[in-house]
Amino acid sequence: MQVSCLTICAVVWFSSQLASSNAENQLHFNRNNQSDHITTRKRVAVVGAGLAGATAAYYLHDSIREFEDIDITIFESWQQIGERIKSVKSRGGTIEIGAPAASTHDWCFLRAMRDVGLAPKEPDWGWKFHRKRTVGVWNGEGFVNTGPHEPQCSTWWELMRMVWRDGRTTWLLRKVSPPMWMEIGKLMWKYGLSPWRFHRLVSLDLKAWDNFGADLYPWQRHTFDSLTSELEKAGLPGEALGSAGSYFRSLNLSAAFLDEVIEPYARARFGQNLDDVRGLAAEIAYREFFSPVMAVTDGNARLVDRLITLSKADLNLNSRIKEIRNGHSKRYNLVAELYSPETTVVEQWEEFDAVVIATPLQLSGIVFGGSLNIEPHPEPTPHFSEQHITHFASEHYPSPDFFNLSSTTRLPNSILTTANNSHIPDVFSIDNIDSVIRIDRTGCSPPSASRPGDPDDCDTVIYEGIFRIIPSDTIHNQTLFKMIGCPSDCQLPFLHRQVWPFITPAYVGHLLPIDDIEIAPSLYYIGGGDDILSSLEMSCRMGFNVGVKAFLDLDEAQRKETWGS
């Protein structure tokens, strides 16, 4: 019995020592003397909680499926998710005051909505009943180009194919317009063959763009390693990545057609003239303007929130990644600056097996340390221009007097401008994006006790417009009131000004600053897509590609570790 007791005690002591030793081996201390538990589970960091980062996190998690050995952490330097996506509640609805909404051609945005179970915002009744909307181009003296603002025509075969693929969502979002050839014919009467040549060019180039990053087969997810190679594989000519002005002029498109028809749409979308944007971006800007807008019911911000929630990621707000260097137990070591409500800054180190950078490197301030040979500011560095956007609601609509026109002139719903218009600040576009009907009972007597359901008929129906203005600089109240013919003491029920710094890259050359998706082993960069096109759809496609690619790479590495091959 005594021997048995000694044996048992020895076994217990040895086991406790072994457990203690293992525990010590499982702890390491970062530079702030904070202990972090090392786990065999794979860890992935996503830098940026905008649409790109949210999409990457969601499709990485979605690819895991039955595997539960990957943890995702998202770092966002702002106080809220979404980055350029901002949705606010006002005037009885939701107003998108952030990045321009997606269109029905944006397959990735539509796919993400469907995958997370969100419904698109249904078109208003005016659009369903084919209410005519108009668009006009102002050159400083008059409207040189006006016409209906209608969705582009789709063939019945294309419509049936999309309904088969996307279901009822497609039917809600698309509408078959009168043949677009009628509008092209009107433009050809004024500009010769240029409209026909441009339409043919857009049809070919944007068909290639629609294939960019798309799955080749329904049962197989497609990934790519290089932006340039994927664009070439999709069939997009290299000239489309050059300056839009040079690209279109090489096709003998007339100067008048480019100045009065094409350039105004690029200015309205990107705040830049044709020589300062890529050809592909100018083509997409033109098509988007004539495509039905696609938005999430109750705001696009819900899509980002839903993607992050379903990714089961650990979300860290007010956390800016300062440095990425080689790790000890895992591949990378990240130092994050954590901003507390007391504005104090705390540095914290964490290690990850893979890192996804979902924000432009040139603007992130990330430093690569250790043996990582990565240039944070590659050459040529594109010039990113800031974009000013003003949203407001008013019962006053744009005034003809502001454009030096007769007071009886009926202005179009969407007003674009040429590069030589005379207004200062330069206004790129004025767009009536929505309308609100409200009842004003100011001064009305409340219903009497004897007739509670029959109030006096003194109420007034007020029609308010919701407008979006894109100027080159801050537009002050004095200019805004003059624009809508409102007195100097006018009160706007809703007014929001937003300056998006460094949102639109200017064209700098055919070569992309960063072409590779994987800029170092298991270090993925999504922001390269913004050097081609700054849009929600590009962010979605890049995030989708990196999310799937990161999983495939991690899964292959796990198999090699398990099977030793």
Side-chain angles (χ1 to χ4, degrees):
M1 177 65 68
Q2 186 176 3
V3 175
S4 301
C5 290
L6 291 175
T7 302
I8 293 175
C9 291
V11 171
V12 171
W13 178 85
F14 181 80
S15 299
S16 63
Q17 292 297 317
L18 181 61
S20 175
S21 176
N22 289 338
E24 291 179 358
N25 292 333
Q26 291 295 316
L27 289 174
H28 77 283
F29 290 86
N30 58 29
R31 292 171 59 179
N32 296 305
N33 293 325
Q34 296 174 338
S35 62
D36 293 329
H37 188 72
I38 301 176
T39 175
T40 58
R41 295 169 63 88
K42 298 295 183 182
R43 301 191 68 205
V44 179
V46 178
V47 183
L51 181 60
T55 307
Y58 172 78
Y59 284 105
L60 170 59
H61 180 269
D62 183 62
S63 300
I64 297 172
R65 296 180 182 176
E66 69 271 14
F67 303 104
E68 295 293 339
D69 57 350
I70 298 180
D71 294 326
I72 305 172
T73 303
I74 299 178
F75 295 92
E76 173 54 56
S77 59
W78 289 17
Q79 296 180 355
Q80 60 185 11
I81 62 174
E83 293 187 353
R84 291 179 293 176
I85 293 181
K86 294 185 68 176
S87 308
V88 297
K89 300 288 185 181
S90 181
R91 318 311 295 164
T94 303
I95 303 176
E96 299 294 340
I97 60 175
S103 75
T104 52
H105 295 280
D106 296 337
W107 60 261
C108 184
F109 194 90
L110 178 60
R111 175 176 184 165
M113 288 171 55
R114 185 181 64 246
D115 287 350
V116 299
L118 292 178
K121 179 181 178 181
E122 295 193 22
D124 60 27
W125 286 103
W127 187 81
K128 286 184 178 180
F129 285 107
H130 209 67
R131 180 180 61 188
K132 288 289 185 180
R133 289 179 54 83
T134 55
V135 58
V137 177
W138 171 257
N139 69 350
E141 298 179 356
F143 287 95
V144 294
N145 182 30
T146 59
H149 177 188
E150 298 291 339
Q152 289 188 359
C153 172
S154 299
T155 64
W156 280 103
W157 172 252
E158 179 188 359
L159 187 63
M160 288 167 43
R161 180 174 62 85
M162 294 187 68
V163 170
W164 175 266
R165 185 185 68 182
D166 300 324
R168 180 172 175 265
T169 299
T170 296
W171 186 255
L172 288 176
L173 293 173
R174 294 192 68 87
K175 184 182 183 77
V176 177
S177 307
M180 190 178 180
W181 288 105
M182 295 177 60
E183 299 304 322
I184 295 177
K186 294 178 182 178
L187 292 174
M188 290 178 64
W189 180 263
K190 182 177 182 180
Y191 299 106
L193 292 177
S194 293
W196 176 75
R197 291 172 180 160
F198 181 75
H199 178 71
R200 185 177 61 174
L201 175 70
V202 169
S203 299
L204 294 175
D205 287 354
L206 296 192
K207 181 179 180 181
W209 160 247
D210 291 340
N211 293 328
F212 174 80
D215 292 340
L216 301 179
Y217 308 102
W219 61 86
Q220 182 180 5
R221 288 186 171 178
H222 168 65
T223 62
F224 56 90
D225 301 316
S226 163
L227 286 166
T228 302
S229 62
E230 179 64 14
L231 289 169
E232 292 176 353
K233 186 176 181 180
L236 188 74
E239 294 78 7
L241 296 182
S243 165
S246 300
Y247 183 37
F248 297 153
R249 285 191 291 268
S250 68
L251 299 173
N252 297 321
L253 301 184
S254 69
F257 176 71
L258 294 179
D259 294 342
E260 299 176 0
V261 179
I262 306 305
E263 188 169 61
Y265 294 96
R267 286 164 52 84
R269 176 62 176 82
F270 299 107
Q272 295 179 348
N273 297 331
L274 283 182
D275 288 331
D276 299 323
V277 297
R278 299 185 186 273
L280 174 64
E283 292 173 323
I284 291 176
Y286 184 81
R287 183 176 74 172
E288 282 184 352
F289 207 87
F290 292 96
S291 301
V293 173
M294 179 167 57
V296 178
T297 302
D298 295 330
N300 290 334
R302 290 186 61 212
L303 176 60
V304 178
D305 179 74
R306 186 73 173 161
L307 288 167
I308 293 177
T309 300
L310 294 181
S311 72
K312 298 182 180 180
D314 180 18
L315 177 61
N316 296 320
L317 300 176
N318 297 316
S319 302
R320 187 183 74 87
I321 297 301
K322 179 180 179 180
E323 183 180 358
I324 300 176
R325 60 187 301 121
N326 301 101
H328 299 286
S329 61
K330 294 186 180 295
R331 186 180 292 274
Y332 293 111
N333 205 335
L334 274 63
V335 58
E337 291 183 337
L338 310 181
Y339 297 88
S340 66
E342 296 78 16
T343 68
T344 58
V345 180
V346 178
E347 287 191 358
Q348 178 175 326
W349 288 82
E350 293 189 61
E351 295 201 339
F352 297 89
D353 297 278
V355 178
V356 176
I357 302 176
T359 187
L361 263 181
Q362 300 90 336
L363 313 176
S364 65
I366 296 176
V367 176
F368 295 94
S371 61
L372 293 178
N373 187 21
I374 300 174
E375 290 291 338
H377 302 287
E379 296 292 343
T381 301
H383 168 69
F384 284 77
S385 64
E386 64 182 14
Q387 190 170 39
H388 297 255
I389 303 178
T390 298
H391 289 84
F392 70 94
S394 174
E395 58 187 274
H396 300 274
Y397 283 63
S399 171
D401 295 337
F402 182 75
F403 299 94
N404 299 321
L405 298 175
S406 169
S407 59
T408 59
T409 303
R410 185 174 181 178
L411 298 181
N413 304 102
S414 300
I415 300 174
L416 313 182
T417 63
T418 60
N420 59 348
N421 74 85
S422 59
H423 286 293
I424 298 176
D426 189 10
V427 177
F428 298 134
S429 67
I430 307 171
D431 196 8
N432 180 196
I433 59 176
D434 205 348
S435 58
V436 176
I437 301 176
R438 65 182 180 88
I439 305 299
D440 184 9
R441 290 187 49 81
T442 303
C444 295
S445 301
S448 61
S450 59
R451 303 169 64 184
D454 186 22
D456 52 4
D457 190 16
C458 76
D459 51 8
T460 303
V461 179
I462 296 180
Y463 296 88
E464 287 183 354
I466 299 177
F467 301 89
R468 177 178 60 236
I469 302 178
I470 302 181
S472 61
D473 204 345
T474 302
I475 185 167
H476 300 288
N477 286 353
Q478 183 179 2
T479 303
L480 183 61
F481 294 160
K482 182 180 178 181
M483 181 184 298
I484 61 177
C486 189
S488 58
D489 59 349
C490 181
Q491 297 293 325
L492 299 178
F494 174 79
L495 175 62
H496 181 275
R497 293 184 177 92
Q498 179 74 52
V499 180
W500 293 103
F502 313 115
I503 190 173
T504 305
Y507 163 74
V508 294
H510 286 68
L511 297 178
L512 300 179
I514 300 181
D515 184 58
D516 294 330
I517 305 300
E518 191 172 5
I519 58 179
S522 298
L523 179 59
Y524 307 94
Y525 181 51
I526 293 179
D530 284 337
D531 295 328
I532 301 175
L533 175 68
S534 180
S535 71
L536 296 183
E537 178 65 8
M538 175 61 87
S539 297
C540 181
R541 296 190 193 185
M542 294 295 291
F544 173 81
N545 173 66
V546 167
V548 177
K549 179 175 174 54
F551 166 74
L552 294 176
D553 293 346
L554 288 172
D555 184 58
E556 181 180 359
Q558 183 69 33
R559 293 176 185 273
K560 289 181 178 180
E561 292 177 4
T562 303
W563 302 103
S565 60

